[in-house]
Amino acid sequence: MAEIPWWGLPLIAALFALVGAGVTLLVTARDHRLHTRGSRNRRWYAERKDAYVALMAAYERVVHRLRTGYTAGITEPDPARYFDEVGPALMQVRLIASAPTRSAALAVHLVLEQLHNRCPAPGTATDRPFLELLGHVPLLMHEFEVAVREELGIEPSPPPEPGGASVPEGVRELPR
């Protein structure tokens, strides 16, 4: 029978301890990387959604102000107020949006900017072009919303329930 040297058992124990520590380190690093990636993705999604909602709300406020101002007889909207209200939200969207979403947001901005900086020719009726341009804003806003939904992967219907069949809309389940 062969004898194990006195240093063999501590060497094997130390070797297994190092391998165990190495495996633990690798698993911990992998879990940390996955957790960091997940939180970064959630933060990215939340930042984009917040920026898009802020810009849409600013656009809606401006359109409402233009409509109520027009009905009240205000013929010259304040461009400085428009840029103060929409500027910061638009800059955020320009920085973080994809090309289609950025183009849709800038299309709405261009029309609203034209409405605020209009210079009517003397002696002409300017009501019709103003109302026509104002009528284009909801269509452009819809294009912006579609681009945002596509970019963020937002579906108009809720996701299916886990483990169960989804019930079509308008159909009620019978009690059990």
Side-chain angles (χ1 to χ4, degrees), residues 100-113:
T101 306
R102 186 173 38 251
S103 296
L106 289 174
V108 177
H109 170 66
L110 179 65
V111 172
L112 290 174
E113 186 179 32

Side-chain angles (χ1 to χ4, degrees), residues 13-31:
L15 184 65
F16 276 107
L18 284 175
V19 169
V23 169
T24 303
L25 183 66
L26 290 175
V27 169
T28 304
R30 181 183 152 272
D31 287 345

Side-chain angles (χ1 to χ4, degrees), residues 73-175:
I74 298 173
T75 58
E76 295 191 24
D78 184 16
R81 183 175 177 191
Y82 169 73
F83 287 114
D84 286 343
E85 187 173 351
V86 172
L90 183 62
M91 288 303 123
Q92 266 190 324
V93 169
R94 286 177 66 183
L95 286 174
I96 64 174
S98 66
T101 306
R102 186 173 38 251
S103 296
L106 289 174
V108 177
H109 170 66
L110 179 65
V111 172
L112 290 174
E113 186 179 32
Q114 288 175 353
L115 286 168
H116 280 83
N117 292 329
R118 62 190 181 107
C119 300
T124 61
T126 59
D127 293 344
R128 185 172 176 164
F130 181 82
L131 291 177
E132 284 179 7
L133 277 176
L134 196 58
H136 288 299
V137 173
L139 301 173
L140 294 171
M141 282 289 293
H142 177 71
E143 290 178 15
F144 179 47
E145 291 169 8
V146 167
V148 167
R149 281 191 190 104
E150 185 176 310
E151 181 177 327
L152 296 179
I154 298 173
E155 296 293 327
S157 60
E161 292 184 23
S166 62
V167 178
E169 196 173 309
V171 177
R172 291 188 318 156
E173 277 191 62
L174 296 175

